Amino acid sequence: MPMPSSPSPSPSQENEAERPMASAEYAAGALSDVRLAQERAGLRARTTPAWYGPAAAVALVVPSVVRAWSDGRGGAATVVALLVSLLGLGVVVALARAARRGAGVLVARSWSSRLWRSRVVLPVVLAAGAITGIVCWAAGAGQATTQVVVFGVWGLGAWGACLVRNASIQRALRELA
């Protein structure tokens, strides 16, 4: 009678000693992929849509143009200028929300974190507007013209800041790829 042979080990049993190490390496690789995906998603969420800069610039300039138009007209023109200014503020808030929604991020950052993030850009843009206002005043431009030009510089500055931030985010995304 033939002796029963011991069952030959299956391939999974043969690699049993190597399996925990392979599983750990696989898990570490998967965790690394998850972290990389989270970092990419975070960068993409910080990207400002291309339409945001020009829209913000228009939302800043139009109320000042309407206010300049209303100077000296009194009555209804003053009310219209006030309403357009409030509407412009509402448009800026709606643009910010639309930009966050478009990025898939609805978690609003605190004002302190927003100010910290723009700690360099905000003073530069505000200073550029102030310098422009001083130049306009020194050149003898009227108050309405000065206001329109200053708000235009601020709008262009906000647009430029969006472009620079998007370029740096795109560069970081390319480096992650």
Side-chain angles (χ1 to χ4, degrees), residues 2-164:
M3 288 194 40
S5 65
S6 64
S8 64
S10 68
S12 62
Q13 290 172 339
E14 287 176 2
N15 296 330
E16 197 168 301
E18 297 173 16
R19 190 177 210 174
M21 190 56 108
S23 294
E25 289 174 7
Y26 177 77
L31 186 58
S32 174
D33 290 346
V34 168
R35 287 187 184 133
L36 190 60
Q38 285 176 332
E39 191 171 347
R40 280 189 194 124
L43 286 170
R44 283 189 193 107
R46 287 180 27 217
T47 302
T48 306
W51 54 262
Y52 182 78
V58 168
L60 287 171
V61 172
V62 167
S64 63
V65 170
V66 171
R67 195 197 114 2
W69 164 80
S70 73
D71 279 353
R73 295 179 188 250
T78 303
V79 173
V80 167
L82 177 62
L83 291 174
V84 169
S85 295
L86 290 173
L87 181 64
L89 180 61
V91 166
V92 169
V93 170
L95 286 172
R97 182 158 175 79
R100 283 194 318 266
R101 182 171 293 219
V105 178
L106 291 178
V107 177
R109 294 183 180 190
S110 67
W111 279 102
S112 61
S113 73
R114 289 180 195 186
L115 288 174
W116 178 253
R117 187 178 72 194
S118 62
R119 67 190 174 281
V120 173
V121 173
L122 184 62
V124 168
V125 170
L126 291 176
I131 291 169
T132 302
I134 291 169
V135 168
C136 286
W137 174 75
Q143 179 184 359
T145 303
T146 301
Q147 184 178 1
V148 169
V149 171
V150 167
F151 275 76
V153 166
W154 284 342
L156 291 173
W159 188 3
C162 290
L163 292 175
V164 168

